[in-house]
Amino acid sequence: MLRIASLLLAGVALAGCSPALDWREFQPEGSGVLASFPCKPDRHSRAVKLEVQAVRMEMLVCDAGDAKFALAFFDVAEPGQVGAALAELQALAAGNIGAQSADAQPAAVPGMTPNPKAMRLRLEGRQPDGTTVQEQAVFFAKGLRVYQAMVLGRRVSAEAADTFLGGLRLPA
């Protein structure tokens, strides 16, 4: 009887150690980016009207470990629109959660085209029901393709955000 209890206790302990996030790397078709998602993302596409131009945005989204993980991308028509699109996406991300301020650092995605508007942001805001929400996101580009990747949840794990956002890369 003691042996069965010990085996059950060991099983519970091992289950507690299993990872909540099942990371897998893949290159979404047509994206040009390698990404590690903690879950199998659904793919969506929609027309978005930005100030720089109307775009067709592709999005990969999944939920895991009490957070939403997303990667979105689209193309702009001219090189001069890239910086404006990056800045607009950052403002929209902050506005969507009512963030009052952002902790911003220059983005560092291997293979990206250098741009002073490419940033990694840490945001905190509120949902419409008043609950606190956190977001970590990176905004970058390669050529005319603009990317936004984000982790959104009540409390965003720094480890999960670093794995997702820090794992992005653009092969040559």
Side-chain angles (χ1 to χ4, degrees), residues 17-136:
C17 294
S18 66
L21 305 176
D22 182 19
W23 294 101
R24 52 186 77 107
E25 184 177 83
F26 68 101
Q27 185 169 9
E29 185 179 330
S31 70
V33 66
L34 283 170
S36 291
F37 275 89
C39 43
K40 185 177 183 214
D42 293 321
R43 189 168 189 147
H44 305 278
S45 162
R46 68 179 177 151
V48 176
K49 176 121 176 67
L50 299 174
E51 287 183 29
V52 294
Q53 75 179 54
V55 298
R56 185 95 190 140
M57 182 181 285
E58 297 289 329
M59 294 169 283
L60 296 127
V61 182
C62 70
D63 294 304
D66 296 327
K68 183 175 295 298
F69 296 80
L71 171 67
F73 58 93
F74 59 86
D75 294 321
V76 294
E78 300 174 19
Q81 295 174 320
V82 171
L86 290 168
E88 186 173 355
L89 288 176
Q90 292 166 39
L92 289 169
N96 286 341
I97 64 169
Q100 299 300 313
S101 63
D103 174 20
Q105 302 173 0
V109 177
M112 72 180 221
T113 302
N115 188 301
K117 299 289 184 185
M119 301 298 271
R120 179 162 173 179
L121 302 181
R122 286 192 172 104
L123 305 165
E124 189 166 313
R126 298 209 174 271
Q127 295 179 330
D129 66 3
T131 59
T132 301
V133 65
Q134 295 178 341
E135 180 175 350
Q136 288 197 40

